[in-house]
Amino acid sequence: MSVETKNTIVEQIVDPFDCLHFIDGKFVPSVDGKTFNNVNPVTEEVYGTVAEGSKADIDLAVAAAKRAFEEGPWGKMSTQERSKIIRKVGDILEARQEEIAQLESLDTGKHLKFSRHVDAPRAAANFHFFADYMISVGTEAFQDEVHGAINYGFRRPIGVVGLIQPWNLPLFLLTWKLAPALAAGCTVVIKPSELTPMTATKLMEILKEAGVPDGVVNLVHGFGQGAGSAINKHPDIAGIGFIGQVSTGAKIMEEASKTLKKLSFELGGKNPNIIFDDVDIDEVVATTIRSSFTNQGEVCVCGENIFVQRSIYDEFVEKLAAKTRELKVGNPFDLDYDQGALVAKVHYDKVMSYFKIAEEEGATFVTGGKRPEGLDKGYFVEPTIITGLEYGARCTREEIFGPVVSIIPFDTEEEVIAMANDSRVGLSNTIWTNDIRRAHRVAQSVESGLSYINCWFVRDFRTPFGGTKDSGLGRVGGVHSWEFYTELTNICVKL
Ligand code: NAD
């Protein structure tokens, strides 16, 4: 890869490694010895192997997790004791941030600027937050004066949980599920994405160093049909925390229904950005660049459809395009660049296929629509702005999950709400206006789990996060995570 200024390249302090499963406190190969290749998204070269798990490996992992849950010490520890260990995991992650960030960039192709500022610190913050949160949260209580009784809620961990993870924010999202599960007292079997196995494997080392007892957290690598499906069907798994595509969620639900598992799903979306004509366009453009192309557009709350009120449409398109052309795509370890590579060939091919679809649908490519000139290797895609499509075209309906946005004009509030709601999914939206009444009215009218007004990707861990319609099941964050990983018993005491 060509680089212009050598002193902007960050020294690589970690090397890729072969990934094994982690079961009952030990790194182990697959029972049947199978492995698959891990491919560097920047060079397209194989840079490691990954143990390929199957039902036999999941059975061992679940047995270890079940023993650890039933025989202790994890399930029998006080919340305060568990919280101390969970805090320590966060401390170690914080101290090793650069290593974590570099591993994440190697595995995903994402730019180091992003993994340094988002992925790595957020993984540590997830543990710190839930370590504190779990020791402060209470349950409900009712005084029944008619019968002379009190009722109070008592929560206990649900048992062994399966965590099935995606590739876009691998450690950030894994720890977002794992930290509350551990804080609640559950034991865990993790299946990371087959495309990004490294930081999850590294985390196992860190958990051990922090004092998480053997068997409490187990990790099995592999594919959906093998290891994933075995988690869905395992009778000793009480619940599944899943993040990924809508279609995968449906398959998990089908297979998990036989054993009536609790399910928490964070799924895909097609998020609308709604921009009214009373805004400061430069301010909106500055955030829209981020909400469109951050992490190569591979963030679940990125806004793929940008609805702009007609009177400012031309100016907005021109200004967003000018800023987009300034983004530099290339080596994720070179700080002179802004955007890295997509995660894998399969995803690169999917994103490129939408350029063909857009062309057939009559789109205009204001920017991008191809791989960057001069980058012959790696899954790089130019930041792409599409205009000229009617809402309803495939590119405006289907989640592309890459550096691709469509800009669509609208005239009235009613019209844009109708377009935003004419969708099977409803994860998040962003509303830009200085009219306070309209801002709240629109936020309450658009069907989605999360609405950002005059901002994007601002996160308070105490608040509910999740999707409506096909974008998910349940909510996570703060008390919502705690509720998922615990079972509630009402205890009625006659006084
Ligand atoms: P994916 O559904 O393809 O894969 C996710 C995980 O599921 C992987 O570990 C995969 O191996 C596993 N899997 C696949 N088939 C399975 C099966 N039948 N049974 C059990 N496990 C199976 O998703 P992805 O491509 O890795 O992730 C991108 C998607 O995730 C996008 O749609 C994105 O919007 C979504 N996402 C949503 C959120 C959110 O918070 N709502 C966050 C991040 C990503």
Side-chain angles (χ1 to χ4, degrees):
M1 175 173 310
S2 67
V3 283
E4 291 144 28
T5 36
K6 280 234 177 308
N7 60 4
T8 57
I9 299 177
V10 174
E11 186 195 347
Q12 197 176 312
I13 61 161
V14 286
D15 288 318
F17 52 84
D18 293 339
C19 296
L20 294 173
H21 308 309
F22 184 77
I23 298 176
D24 213 5
K26 290 175 207 66
F27 285 103
V28 292
S30 293
V31 170
D32 61 12
K34 273 190 167 178
T35 61
F36 61 95
N37 288 335
N38 195 11
V39 175
N40 182 335
V42 169
T43 62
E44 300 182 35
E45 284 161 8
V46 172
Y47 61 5
T49 62
V50 186
E52 182 179 338
S54 64
K55 181 177 178 305
D57 304 288
I58 292 292
D59 285 347
L60 290 176
V62 175
K66 192 172 177 218
R67 260 196 318 275
F69 185 74
E70 289 175 354
E71 293 166 25
W74 195 248
K76 295 185 175 63
M77 272 183 198
S78 68
T79 307
Q80 281 75 3
E81 284 173 295
R82 280 199 304 268
S83 169
K84 249 190 206 165
I85 297 174
I86 291 163
R87 170 155 282 283
K88 191 153 178 213
V89 178
D91 292 345
I92 300 172
L93 280 167
E94 200 167 65
R96 291 171 67 173
Q97 270 191 58
E98 178 64 14
E99 183 192 347
I100 295 293
Q102 291 202 7
L103 268 184
E104 208 68 295
S105 280
L106 279 172
D107 225 5
T108 56
K110 69 174 70 192
H111 202 282
L112 190 62
K113 284 180 194 167
F114 189 76
S115 49
R116 273 180 170 178
H117 291 115
V118 179
D119 295 80
R122 175 64 190 265
N126 286 336
F127 282 99
H128 285 152
F129 172 77
F130 281 106
D132 290 343
Y133 190 80
M134 291 294 172
I135 52 177
S136 61
V137 69
T139 57
E140 63 209 278
F142 298 94
Q143 198 169 326
D144 176 350
E145 288 170 38
V146 176
H147 301 99
I150 52 167
N151 288 271
Y152 67 93
F154 172 74
R155 286 196 174 268
R156 71 184 95 227
I158 59 174
V160 180
V161 296
L163 302 181
I164 302 177
Q165 296 295 309
W167 49 258
N168 64 317
L169 301 163
L171 196 67
F172 168 140
L173 291 173
L174 168 58
T175 54
W176 178 232
K177 296 275 187 198
L178 179 63
L182 290 179
C186 294
T187 60
V188 178
V189 176
I190 296 163
K191 197 204 83 60
S193 168
E194 57 274 28
L195 301 176
T196 52
M198 285 203 289
T199 47
T201 309
K202 184 57 71 183
L203 179 66
M204 298 304 110
E205 250 177 64
I206 292 170
L207 295 173
K208 195 154 178 131
E209 188 187 332
V212 175
D214 291 352
V216 171
V217 180
N218 306 273
L219 168 139
V220 176
H221 294 289
F223 298 92
Q225 267 100 40
S229 180
I231 289 178
N232 304 341
K233 294 175 186 162
H234 204 295
D236 290 334
I237 290 184
I240 296 179
F242 170 68
I243 307 178
Q245 299 189 51
V246 174
S247 55
T248 311
K251 280 187 205 141
I252 293 175
M253 188 181 245
E254 195 182 333
E255 291 192 336
S257 69
K258 307 289 184 296
T259 45
L260 291 170
K261 296 187 192 329
K262 276 184 100 174
L263 300 174
S264 161
F265 284 175
E266 292 172 66
L267 308 178
K270 186 76 182 176
N271 309 312
N273 283 8
I274 300 174
I275 302 167
F276 289 96
D277 61 7
D278 61 341
V279 294
D280 172 342
I281 296 185
D282 294 324
E283 184 197 355
V284 182
V285 164
T287 303
T288 307
I289 279 284
R290 291 176 43 241
S291 70
S292 303
F293 304 121
T294 287
N295 204 39
Q296 303 74 235
E298 298 162 331
V299 176
C300 58
V301 292
C302 275
E304 292 193 7
N305 283 334
I306 305 175
F307 296 100
V308 182
Q309 205 155 21
R310 202 173 299 275
S311 62
I312 59 164
Y313 178 84
D314 289 339
E315 186 184 351
F316 179 85
V317 172
E318 196 181 300
K319 286 189 162 168
L320 188 73
K323 285 281 173 213
T324 302
R325 289 190 195 101
E326 288 172 13
L327 294 175
K328 288 165 120 184
V329 183
N331 182 356
F333 278 69
D334 188 336
L335 299 179
D336 198 32
Y337 292 93
D338 306 292
Q339 189 181 294
L342 302 194
V343 68
K345 181 161 192 320
V346 59
H347 190 54
Y348 171 84
D349 288 345
K350 174 186 162 184
V351 172
M352 292 304 256
S353 77
Y354 275 97
F355 294 152
K356 193 154 180 288
I357 294 167
E359 230 173 83
E360 286 162 9
E361 289 180 323
T364 301
F365 289 91
V366 180
T367 66
K370 55 183 172 49
R371 60 182 294 128
E373 313 249 318
L375 288 176
D376 304 327
K377 279 262 179 245
Y379 308 120
F380 294 100
V381 174
E382 281 189 358
T384 300
I385 298 175
I386 292 171
T387 58
L389 293 181
E390 291 288 323
Y391 182 68
R394 277 185 67 189
C395 288
T396 67
R397 278 203 181 277
E398 297 171 16
E399 187 187 42
I400 302 174
F401 214 52
V404 187
V405 292
S406 291
I407 313 185
I408 302 156
F410 72 90
D411 292 299
T412 65
E413 185 179 316
E414 293 70 28
E415 180 196 5
V416 77
I417 290 171
M419 285 195 283
N421 285 342
D422 179 15
S423 172
R424 297 277 310 164
V425 286
L427 181 55
S428 76
N429 63 67
T430 303
I431 298 159
W432 290 94
T433 177
N434 284 317
D435 177 337
I436 190 168
R437 291 180 178 168
R438 176 160 66 187
H440 288 280
R441 213 165 45 228
V442 177
Q444 291 179 19
S445 303
V446 177
E447 296 154 359
S448 69
L450 182 63
S451 195
Y452 296 108
I453 296 176
N454 297 335
C455 64
W456 178 73
F457 209 16
V458 176
R459 187 82 189 100
D460 179 331
F461 295 2
R462 296 167 297 184
T463 60
F465 184 95
T468 56
K469 303 199 266 191
D470 289 357
S471 284
L473 211 56
R475 294 290 180 272
V476 291
V479 73
H480 308 282
S481 296
W482 188 57
E483 284 177 359
F484 179 72
Y485 294 110
T486 55
E487 199 64 75
L488 184 61
T489 302
N490 182 66
I491 298 182
C492 175
V493 189
K494 182 91 166 82
L495 299 174

